């Protein structure tokens, strides 16, 4: 019985796109009540094979000749196309990546080329990944019309100026994630997945919203707008969002920039997770600058500061720690304690505070505090040994970072594409091999299940009951 439930769970997660597309059909129908509950979104069924959408040539501005992608030679029983592997920009020689990007009108010029990946996909679909950033774009089977290949790209913007402007009580809970396509007229919605840092045990204390920006132009960051309030979706909501412990999954057919923003409910103090990381120079010197980063607890935030410190010649001194930070208005206190013989903290620099608003808003990328330690004897042979205690003032939450005089083993940042996988439905993967494809259930089996469960039943034994059993109904 558990095996059946696991399969249904996989089916449900993999076929959110079909459910959302039915929901979108309802939303566009003038005969539907705009206040209908979201769970009714599967009450109409359509055949993907009957979808005939005109090609939007004005939008298809990708230059095919400059697309550096490799065709996978595997055969797929359920598709006549040959899906292509995604190509990381840093896989190109010299400035070729920037020159290639310049010819892609729909791709923004991100300062860091490691933060973007693109691929040409066919009817079999696929998945674009930025593993070090914890970001993925799933293109389901049937999203691209039979006989077509469509270009997709996925990226992360780390620029502070690209973040949505929030109020003092609102907080950015995710990276700014961007995706685009050369063909806006797709047969199914895509699934955009990325990390968030809202503390799971206080979800009931949060008002969570999805923010969207349709701007793709270089140098123009456009206008952010709130497009969904989690738990208050209606049939007119343009996307559907599912929140897990550490990830958010957005079903959408709108290319653009996305972010998750939160705010404490009335008379509540929500909690977000911060990631603490301490860096110091790799070799001893006459003065040692120790930097303690306090960033959102997401893969991309940690990847960004690790790359910055690597360029400065610094190394990670302890395993990054997670600290809970509560919406109390209290600042974050950082104190250097237990400095071992041979080093001392510069006078007046043993304790520092970061204002609450600087941390809670999430507007400042790579937020950190610096401490200067100087040697008391020469020659200097080892890095400082001390503890850095980080706590929120008047809070029970505290964390200690240990500096043991030696860098953390294997702390060098790995290339964001070191474990790139671009999965093709029913086939092999690009990059490092993996035993899993995007979906575990074959397409023919999924279609049979959808045919059974798409029809609303009086007993409720359809998608509604499955959603309830999986605890994803709202």
């Amino acid at each position: 019985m558990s095996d059946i439930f696991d399969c249904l769970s996989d089916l449900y997660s993999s076929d959110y796109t079909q459910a959302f597309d039915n929901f979108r059909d309802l939303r566009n129908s003038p005969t539907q009540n705009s206040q209908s509950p979201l769970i009714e979104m599967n009450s109409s069924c359509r055949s993907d094979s009957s979808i005939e959408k005109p090609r939007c040539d004005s939008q298809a501005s990708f230059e095919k000749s400059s697309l550096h992608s490799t065709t996978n030679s595997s055969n797929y029983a359920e598709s006549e196309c040959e899906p292509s592997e995604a190509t990381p920009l840093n896989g190109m020689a010299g400035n070729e990546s920037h020159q290639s990007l310049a010819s892609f009108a729909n791709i923004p010029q991100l300062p860091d080329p490691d933060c973007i990946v693109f691929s040409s996909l066919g009817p079999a679909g696929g998945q674009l990944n930025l593993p070090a950033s914890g970001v993925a774009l799933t293109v389901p089977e049937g999203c691209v019309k039979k006989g077509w290949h469509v270009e997709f790209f996925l990226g992360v913007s780390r620029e502070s100026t690209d973040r949505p402007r929030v109020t003092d009580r609102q907080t950015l809970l995710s990276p700014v994630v961007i995706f685009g396509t050369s063909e806006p007229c797709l047969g199914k919605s895509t699934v955009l997945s990325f990390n968030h840092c809202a503390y799971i045990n206080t979800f009931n204390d949060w008002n969570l919203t999805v923010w969207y920006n349709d701007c793709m132009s270089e140098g123009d960051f456009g206008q952010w707008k709130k497009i969904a309030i989690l738990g208050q979706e209606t049939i007119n909501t343009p996307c559907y969002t599912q929140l897990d412990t550490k990830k958010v999954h957005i079903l959408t057919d709108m290319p653009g920039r996305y972010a998750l923003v939160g705010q404490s409910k009335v008379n509540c103090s929500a909690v977000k997770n911060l990631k603490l990381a301490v860096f110091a120079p790799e070799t001893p010197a006459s003065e040692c600058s120790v930097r303690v980063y306090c960033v959102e607890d997401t893969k991309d935030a940690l990847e960004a500061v690790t790359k910055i410190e690597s360029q400065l010649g610094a190394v990670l001194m302890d395993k990054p720690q997670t600290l809970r930070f509560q919406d109390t208005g209290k600042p974050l206190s950082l104190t250097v304690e237990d400095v071992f013989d041979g080093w001392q903290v510069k006078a007046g620099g043993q304790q520092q505070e970061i204002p609450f608003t600087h941390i809670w808003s999430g507007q400042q990328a790579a937020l950190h505090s610096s401490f200067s330690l100087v040697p008391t004897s020469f020659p200097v042979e080892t890095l400082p040994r001390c503890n850095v205690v980080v706590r929120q003032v008047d809070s029970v939450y505290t964390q200690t970072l240990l500096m043991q005089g030696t860098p953390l083993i294997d702390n060098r940042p790995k290339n964001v594409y070191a474990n790139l996988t671009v999965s093709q439905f029913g086939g092999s993967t690009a990059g490092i091999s993996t035993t899993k494809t995007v979906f575990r259930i074959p397409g023919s089996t999924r279609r049979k299940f959808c045919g059974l469960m798409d029809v609303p039943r009086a007993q409720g034994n359809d998608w509604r009951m499955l959603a309830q059993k999986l605890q994803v109904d709202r």
Side-chain angles (χ1 to χ4, degrees):
M1 190 68 182
S2 60
D3 291 340
I4 295 176
F5 185 78
D6 289 342
C7 287
L8 287 175
S9 175
D10 184 35
L11 167 71
Y12 187 76
S13 60
S14 64
D15 275 284
Y16 270 143
T17 51
Q18 177 65 56
F20 178 73
D21 288 325
N22 292 337
F23 167 59
R24 182 177 57 183
D25 288 347
L26 284 175
R27 186 185 72 201
N28 295 332
S29 172
T31 62
Q32 296 295 328
N33 185 340
S34 63
Q35 298 300 318
S36 299
L38 179 67
I39 203 63
E40 295 293 339
M41 64 186 180
N42 291 291
S43 60
S44 69
C45 181
R46 72 181 187 186
S47 172
D48 294 327
S49 61
S50 65
I51 299 175
E52 293 291 335
K53 296 189 176 182
R55 183 172 178 82
C56 303
D57 292 327
S58 61
Q59 300 281 345
S61 53
F62 282 81
E63 296 293 333
K64 298 287 194 328
S65 60
S66 62
L67 182 63
H68 294 258
S69 62
T70 305
T71 301
N72 193 322
S73 60
S74 302
N75 294 322
Y76 298 90
E78 296 177 5
S79 174
E80 297 181 8
C81 73
E82 293 180 347
S84 301
E85 299 175 357
T87 304
L89 298 185
N90 62 352
M92 304 175 187
N95 295 325
E96 186 179 359
S97 63
H98 298 284
Q99 295 170 357
S100 177
L101 272 181
S103 65
F104 286 70
N106 283 1
I107 297 185
Q109 291 279 35
L110 300 179
D112 190 346
D114 285 348
C115 294
I116 192 167
V117 63
F118 62 98
S119 177
S120 178
L121 300 175
Q127 187 177 79
L128 281 72
N129 277 285
L130 291 171
S133 296
V135 176
L137 176 69
T138 302
V139 180
E141 180 185 12
C143 181
V144 177
K145 194 166 66 172
K146 185 177 179 180
W148 286 19
H149 272 76
V150 173
E151 288 78 24
F152 293 85
F153 74 86
L154 174 68
V156 177
S157 176
R158 294 172 177 169
E159 293 293 291
S160 296
T161 53
D162 197 14
R163 301 186 173 197
R165 300 293 124 198
V166 298
T167 66
D168 290 342
R169 284 302 175 183
Q170 291 177 323
T171 177
L172 183 64
L173 297 170
S174 75
V176 173
V177 180
I178 313 168
F179 90 92
T181 173
S182 63
E183 178 51 71
C185 305
L186 300 174
K188 288 184 179 180
S189 298
T190 58
V191 183
L192 186 63
S193 304
F194 49 90
N195 289 140
H196 70 81
C197 62
Y199 180 45
I200 183 66
N201 283 6
T202 62
F203 272 178
N204 291 334
D205 296 337
W206 284 105
N207 281 321
L208 299 171
T209 55
V210 175
W211 287 40
Y212 171 74
N213 187 336
D214 62 359
C215 179
M216 291 289 186
S217 302
E218 179 184 0
D220 181 6
F221 296 111
Q223 296 293 323
W224 285 92
K225 57 184 178 182
K226 181 168 55 179
I227 61 170
I229 303 175
L230 272 66
Q232 299 181 28
E233 298 95 333
T234 70
I235 207 164
N236 293 317
T237 304
C239 67
Y240 177 74
T241 306
Q242 180 59 43
L243 206 67
D244 295 339
T245 305
K246 293 186 176 181
K247 278 205 168 186
V248 56
H249 309 275
I250 301 176
L251 280 79
T252 178
D253 55 6
M254 302 187 304
R257 305 171 189 245
Y258 289 82
L260 184 69
V261 174
Q263 181 175 356
S264 295
K265 292 181 178 179
V266 178
N267 299 324
C268 293
S269 296
V271 177
K272 66 184 292 186
N273 289 325
L274 301 179
K275 184 65 75 175
L276 308 176
V278 56
F279 292 87
E282 190 170 11
T283 57
S286 58
E287 183 173 327
C288 179
S289 177
V290 176
R291 288 179 290 275
V292 181
Y293 285 85
C294 309
V295 297
E296 289 79 19
D297 187 12
T298 64
K299 283 187 175 183
D300 186 71
L302 182 60
E303 172 72 13
V305 299
T306 303
K307 185 170 184 178
I308 291 172
E309 288 297 322
S310 177
Q311 294 171 347
L312 296 174
V315 290
L316 193 61
M317 299 301 296
D318 190 17
K319 182 179 179 180
Q321 305 291 332
T322 298
L323 175 71
R324 296 169 190 168
F325 190 76
Q326 193 167 17
D327 184 14
T328 62
K330 300 292 184 178
L332 192 70
S333 171
L334 302 93
T335 308
V336 177
E337 299 180 353
D338 303 326
V339 181
F340 281 64
D341 293 341
W343 291 86
Q344 65 180 12
V345 184
K346 272 191 172 181
Q350 187 173 0
Q351 183 175 0
Q352 297 184 28
E353 284 189 353
I354 302 178
F356 170 83
T357 53
H358 290 189
I359 297 176
W360 187 254
S361 67
Q363 295 298 294
Q364 299 185 37
L367 185 65
H368 68 278
S369 284
S370 297
F371 298 90
S372 293
L373 284 79
V374 294
T376 57
S377 61
F378 294 90
V380 180
E381 298 179 350
T382 63
L383 291 171
R385 289 195 295 166
C386 62
N387 298 332
V388 182
V389 180
V390 185
R391 62 168 63 90
Q392 187 177 12
V393 175
D394 297 334
S395 172
V396 296
Y397 302 126
T398 183
Q399 196 59 264
T400 301
L401 298 168
L402 306 177
M403 288 186 58
Q404 299 297 333
T406 56
L408 186 68
I409 298 176
D410 192 26
N411 67 85
R412 291 290 189 180
K414 296 179 176 59
N415 188 288
V416 72
Y417 296 105
N419 58 342
L420 173 68
T421 57
V422 184
S423 303
Q424 312 294 347
F425 293 179
S428 60
T429 60
I432 293 179
S433 60
T434 177
T435 58
K436 294 183 178 180
T437 55
V438 178
F439 295 154
R440 293 174 293 177
I441 301 177
S444 58
T445 305
R446 285 189 280 115
R447 284 189 287 272
K448 290 179 181 178
F449 272 117
C450 290
L452 293 172
M453 302 184 72
D454 277 353
V455 181
R457 302 178 186 276
Q459 301 89 339
N461 54 340
D462 47 31
W463 288 111
R464 293 171 294 181
M465 181 177 292
L466 180 58
Q468 186 178 26
K469 294 292 184 181
L470 296 176
Q471 297 181 348
V472 295
D473 59 324
R474 289 200 298 268

